[in-house]
Amino acid sequence: MKDNSKKIIVNFHIKKLESLTDEEIQEEFPDRDGRWSIQTKRALRRFQTEKLDLNENWASVGPDWTCPCCERPKYDLFRLSVNQILLANLHVHHDHLADFLKEKLHQKFGSKWAHCVSRSGIYLEDVGSKLIGRFAPCLVCADCNAADGAAKAGLPTLPRFFSFRVSEICKFIQVSPNSEHKVSLDIAMGIFIDIEKDFQKRVLFLDQLFNMILCGDLLQEEGNIRRNKYISTYDYIKNELIKSFYDDYKNISNDINGFLRRSLSRDGVSSNSLSRKVTIDIPTQEDYLNHDGSGGLKIWQETPESWSCPCCSRVKFQILRRSNKSKKKKWSGRILKHTQYVLMSPENWDDPLSWEITGQNEEIICMDCASVIPKIKQMKPELSRDEVFFQIEDIRELVKASPHQGHEVNWEQAVLRAYNSLQRIPAVDFYNEKRNRLSVFSFIYRHFSKMYNNENDIVLGAVRQYYIEKNKINEFDVDDFISDCLNDIGFVK
């Protein structure tokens, strides 16, 4: 470290994680885990499979982690699915009572309830929901988390927002290595009976808080003390690094994200979507007319009845289906925006480098078609930061659509097509860079045109000077730059 009168100069070296072997990763990060670890590789050989579903929670703790509920070490948590996928998943078990107050406000005011109550009401919801929980969130194995759900499913009289504590789950499960837990409903029911009075007191308190929020009670005046009033050494160094070495900082961030993607494996995502037999419910006309767009009410209402999804050809009524995530099995159906690029026909369609994008259109597609790329990125974390480039034609060829249910997707072809689409990224980047450059130029040109009453020579002189001074364009190149922008300005309209 060097010190002069105005700056402290620090030189240090950071290992490039991308270049490390699996063995070096294991040595460098003994408190982390992933598909690269010795234990994971050993488990794949033991269960005689190459498919692995390992999530971020599993990767965030070391190989010697033990579940606090069933007390099994990681090696006993690996389990083979019916699709011959090795499961390595940990989940955050949380108290659903913490969602109770927010759900009541959502039912009263809709999804934008926070705009309908005072700022103190938002504060009360946040503090009250945390205060009233029976337990703090806890990382547990997938089987212990599932046991809580299995017990509640087997005991339908339990309150909807009730969750068992980790210290309670361990009492009604029968544990075996590398297997799902067996659940004793009788013991689980007995536990609830013992704590029911305590649970009801908490619910009563939340009901009182709900009424206070509606009445505008317990108002809290805001203060003026900054949360970060003290200068953190870490934050100071981080901010200086970002300002002085932004490209290096970005490369380091990308390297860390690459390490995370290298650790994960999501072969289990959507693996059994085609094998499940589902009951198809058909919405009534009343259900359809009352549908709220699943969080996208404005675009749902603005989309005409004559619309059909350009990918799967379903109309608005047909994209409604029962939600798998909602306990009340609400109707789900959303319309989303999709960027469709206009391609100039290349001389060789098999050569992505010869493609040229000449424009873009904003299409709207159904949520099942829009979910194809996010699910691919879940399956293949190494694609999570890349701009997978799917045109409507790509999605159309991958999905088999039916009314009122999710798509059947050829995931093998979808993943292959996603990898192939990466070759198109240079064309997309070139187009976006040009579009952004022209958008900025258009804004600057309009600004000076207004300032100088459209006196063209004066406007062009001001634009020229701006780019020389602010954007550091060489004065010998700036005239050609302006001429090209003026010729292409229609590109951004």
Side-chain angles (χ1 to χ4, degrees), residues 439-463:
S439 294
V440 172
F441 176 85
S442 179
F443 174 82
I444 293 169
Y445 186 84
R446 291 196 306 271
H447 170 74
F448 285 120
S449 293
K450 185 177 181 180
M451 180 181 293
Y452 297 113
N453 296 319
N454 295 315
E455 291 287 341
N456 194 53
D457 291 342
I458 300 176
V459 171
L460 290 177
V463 171

Side-chain angles (χ1 to χ4, degrees), residues 143-155 164 172 181-183 185 188:
D143 297 318
C144 285
N145 194 54
D148 173 76
K152 290 185 287 188
L155 299 170
F164 288 99
F172 62 73
H181 297 328
K182 294 180 180 178
V183 173
L185 296 180

Side-chain angles (χ1 to χ4, degrees), residues 3 17 42-43 45 78 123 173 223 248 259 281-282 311 320 332 391 424-425 443 486:
D3 190 0
L17 303 181
R42 187 180 298 149
R45 291 193 298 270
F78 288 108
Y123 167 79
I173 56 174
D248 293 327
F259 167 63
D281 292 334
I282 300 176
C311 301
L320 258 64
S332 176
Q391 294 281 82
R424 310 173 188 173
I425 289 179
F443 174 82
L486 288 172

Side-chain angles (χ1 to χ4, degrees), residues 186-210:
D186 290 338
I187 296 177
M189 190 64 200
I191 291 172
F192 175 74
I193 291 172
D194 289 341
I195 58 88
E196 185 175 9
K197 287 184 178 179
D198 172 81
F199 179 78
Q200 293 300 339
K201 288 179 182 177
R202 296 169 190 265
V203 172
L204 180 61
F205 180 72
L206 286 174
D207 283 332
Q208 292 173 335
L209 271 182
F210 175 72

Side-chain angles (χ1 to χ4, degrees), residues 15-27:
K15 292 181 180 179
K16 192 173 183 180
L17 303 181
E18 184 182 14
S19 65
L20 300 182
T21 65
D22 287 353
E23 292 73 20
E24 289 170 332
I25 287 285
Q26 175 107 25
E27 184 177 349

